[in-house]
Amino acid sequence: MTVTIVGSQLGDEGKGRVVDLFGGDVDVVVRYQGGDNAGHTVVHGGTEYKLSLVPSGVVRGKVGVLGNGCVVNPATLFEEIDKLRDRGLDPDVRVAERAHVILPYHRVLDGIEEDVKSEGDLAAGTTGRGIGPTYEDKAGRRGVRIGDLLDPEILRERLEYVVPQKKALAEDVFGIETDEAFDVDALFEQYREFGERIADENMAVDCGTFLAERVAEGDELMMEGAQGTSIDIDHGIYPYVTSSNPTTGGACTGTGLPPTTVGQGEVIGIVKAYTSRVGTGPLPTELGGVEGQTPDYEGDQPADEEELATFIRDEGGEYGTVTGRPRRVGWLDMPMLRHAARVNGFTAIAVNHVDVLAGLDEVKVGHSYTLNGEEIMTMPATTEKWGECEANFRSFDGWEDVDWTDVETWEDIPENARTYLDYVSEQLDAPVMTVGCGPDRNDTVVLDDPF
Ligand code: IMP
């Protein structure tokens, strides 16, 4: 069977915790979208591993597959594999022949376009990894795929077609000086070598066939979504989105497994007990603000809101893993979650960071929005309308801070926190499978097991 893990908010919900928790029972862990924009930390055998591309399950000795829906930077791929090997592991990583390759010019163009967009208010605050430009080339039918790296003739043909276009774009449209990132010969040499290594290590797979065979053999598969529903290219807050489908549908198109297979399994929505966001765009339940990310932020939000935001940010460690920049934070946004539950078809939810809110007298949730004088229960389809939504808050009594390492069962969770969790579960019509109660992966109350 398959278990699909999907972020229900804006990314950084703590998907890794759930992947880790149930990963021991899994045979194959598959990523179905995104690339090295994903940053996750895995703790195994007391050692911490930081990965951004390789599926985290490989740390536990599972087969890790990068599905055809992923965009793969081979430099990152091998850097991560080599680091794992240096630490004594023997990672088994497979890459879909149909997955697209991130080339150096994609990263350069990602940076330039963000700079240009930031002159208005369109910048998505991308991770700068070339994700968007690579998916653009995929849709534009000018991309280079993993399978192409294995065939030097095809690789050269593809590069000779696309690189001059990219060079002209960079030089003539954006007016920058180009270097080796835009040089066919240099790229050919480097990427041919990557292809040789992929072939030598027998990493390339026809993803759909490979996975279908594993399912037929009775293997347990975990589909590991990156990012979150509200930054899905189709169902998120366009244009402040990533360029792929983190939602459940992406688990089908991004692997080659049919909806009938994925739909027979579990779909676990990962929910952070409050809202956090990296990047620009509206955020109706936001508390306080962050300069450069919160639209029109001038630091004049009410002091008590800023204080609450700082409390949540510090308790929850809401600072970018790579950049260290503060994340925007806010109360839980129920219209956003109802939208996620509908799009993804959650069979259960895993709620994380419940301990972060402990000690507050009052915990609020954005229960609904008011848009044009009407109450709405889910997100509107355009980001402009979303920006006009005002959150209608519901208030819950806060819960006390306890020694969360002692919290092992549902009954151990403070009563007011259980009331909050029951409300979320009932609104989303999905049972709570796990509750994250502390920074350590062991601080998780497990109410049910998907396998
Ligand atoms: P990109 O994925 O680098 O193109 O960035 C597009 C948007 O998605 C930006 O707002 C990023 O901050 C956001 N984003 C990308 N990856 C993640 C993630 O793993 N967590 C949270 N936000 C992300």
Side-chain angles (χ1 to χ4, degrees):
M1 79 176 258
T2 66
V3 172
T4 306
I5 306 288
V6 182
S8 63
Q9 292 149 311
L10 295 139
D12 307 313
E13 299 93 349
K15 292 176 285 291
R17 173 188 295 258
V18 182
V19 172
D20 265 10
L21 203 61
F22 300 122
D25 297 321
V26 164
D27 301 293
V28 185
V29 182
V30 193
R31 278 197 58 187
Y32 54 86
Q33 44 74 228
D36 54 348
N37 52 347
H40 39 253
T41 308
V42 194
V43 186
H44 183 57
T47 312
E48 196 176 274
Y49 302 90
K50 284 196 184 303
L51 299 167
S52 63
L53 176 63
V54 167
S56 51
V58 299
V59 169
R60 290 170 165 270
K62 312 296 174 183
V63 179
V65 180
L66 293 168
N68 55 273
C70 293
V71 285
V72 178
N73 184 332
T76 312
L77 176 67
F78 289 124
E79 195 184 297
E80 291 190 356
I81 290 177
D82 289 344
K83 266 198 196 147
L84 293 175
R85 286 202 179 134
D86 288 348
R87 296 172 79 176
L89 299 181
D90 182 21
D92 184 351
V93 182
R94 313 298 174 99
V95 196
E97 285 168 288
R98 289 182 165 93
H100 279 251
V101 178
I102 301 179
L103 285 123
Y105 51 79
H106 290 126
R107 278 199 177 209
V108 177
L109 292 168
D110 195 356
I112 306 176
E113 193 161 355
E114 280 287 291
D115 281 351
V116 173
K117 280 181 168 175
S118 65
E119 285 162 20
D121 60 359
L122 281 175
T126 72
T127 57
R129 303 288 159 94
I131 306 293
T134 308
Y135 279 115
E136 252 179 69
D137 281 354
K138 170 179 177 175
R141 294 161 299 198
R142 66 182 91 83
V144 176
R145 306 203 294 179
I146 291 290
D148 302 333
L149 303 185
L150 308 179
D151 184 332
E153 243 176 75
I154 300 280
L155 175 62
R156 185 165 265 287
E157 197 183 316
R158 296 263 188 275
L159 291 173
E160 277 176 0
Y161 174 74
V162 71
V163 177
Q165 289 185 18
K166 299 295 164 189
K167 199 171 159 71
L169 178 66
E171 289 175 351
D172 304 341
V173 177
F174 293 120
I176 63 153
E177 253 178 61
T178 56
D179 55 14
E180 289 211 321
F182 294 81
D183 182 279
V184 173
D185 291 332
L187 291 170
F188 175 73
E189 279 314 317
Q190 194 186 358
Y191 282 74
R192 188 175 56 92
E193 275 177 32
F194 285 138
E196 279 170 9
R197 185 161 171 196
I198 290 171
D200 286 349
E201 299 194 16
N202 205 18
M203 291 167 69
V205 288
D206 178 347
C207 186
T209 306
F210 179 79
L211 295 179
E213 283 171 6
R214 305 298 297 238
V215 172
E217 282 165 20
D219 277 1
E220 309 283 17
L221 264 59
M222 184 174 273
M223 323 279 270
E224 186 183 343
Q227 292 88 41
T229 301
S230 280
I231 54 173
D232 179 288
I233 182 92
D234 285 287
H235 304 288
I237 48 168
Y238 192 90
Y240 308 107
V241 291
T242 193
S243 299
S244 65
N245 291 118
T247 42
T248 314
C252 306
T253 53
T255 60
L257 284 176
T260 38
T261 299
V262 174
Q264 275 165 18
E266 292 269 358
V267 179
I268 308 176
I270 315 301
V271 178
K272 187 184 267 186
Y274 50 90
T275 304
S276 75
R277 164 87 175 119
V278 187
T280 43
L283 201 60
T285 62
E286 182 163 19
L287 287 163
V290 175
E291 209 177 335
Q293 296 187 59
T294 305
D296 306 322
Y297 182 68
E298 284 170 12
D300 53 0
Q301 260 75 352
D304 54 340
E305 273 196 23
E306 292 284 9
E307 223 171 274
L308 261 171
T310 307
F311 174 85
I312 295 174
R313 195 174 289 127
D314 289 349
E315 292 292 314
E318 297 297 345
Y319 294 87
T321 340
V322 181
T323 55
R325 66 177 172 164
R327 294 187 186 135
R328 300 164 66 190
V329 294
W331 295 122
L332 196 62
D333 187 320
M334 292 310 295
M336 181 190 287
L337 290 179
R338 288 189 198 98
H339 171 69
R342 184 189 52 74
V343 172
N344 294 299
F346 295 148
T347 58
I349 54 172
V351 186
N352 286 326
H353 281 55
V354 168
D355 57 305
V356 169
L357 301 178
L360 296 174
D361 292 336
E362 181 191 32
V363 174
K364 291 190 190 177
V365 299
H367 174 73
S368 62
Y369 298 145
T370 296
L371 177 64
N372 298 328
E374 274 186 37
E375 186 183 32
I376 56 169
M377 303 308 284
T378 188
M379 286 171 90
T382 73
T383 305
E384 291 66 34
K385 281 189 201 157
W386 195 48
E388 288 164 24
C389 286
E390 275 193 35
N392 301 310
F393 291 101
R394 269 201 191 177
S395 175
F396 290 78
D397 289 332
W399 46 92
E400 65 277 21
D401 203 2
V402 294
D403 183 352
W404 295 93
T405 51
D406 289 342
V407 174
E408 286 174 6
T409 65
W410 176 251
E411 284 69 33
D412 294 339
I413 298 172
E415 191 181 348
N416 291 345
R418 278 186 270 143
T419 306
Y420 183 80
L421 292 165
D422 279 338
Y423 159 83
V424 176
S425 168
E426 181 228 316
Q427 293 290 317
L428 304 185
D429 197 17
V432 177
M433 186 173 267
T434 64
V435 184
C437 300
D440 198 284
R441 299 286 152 94
N442 296 327
D443 305 332
T444 309
V445 175
V446 181
L447 305 170
D448 198 4
D449 190 312
F451 292 107

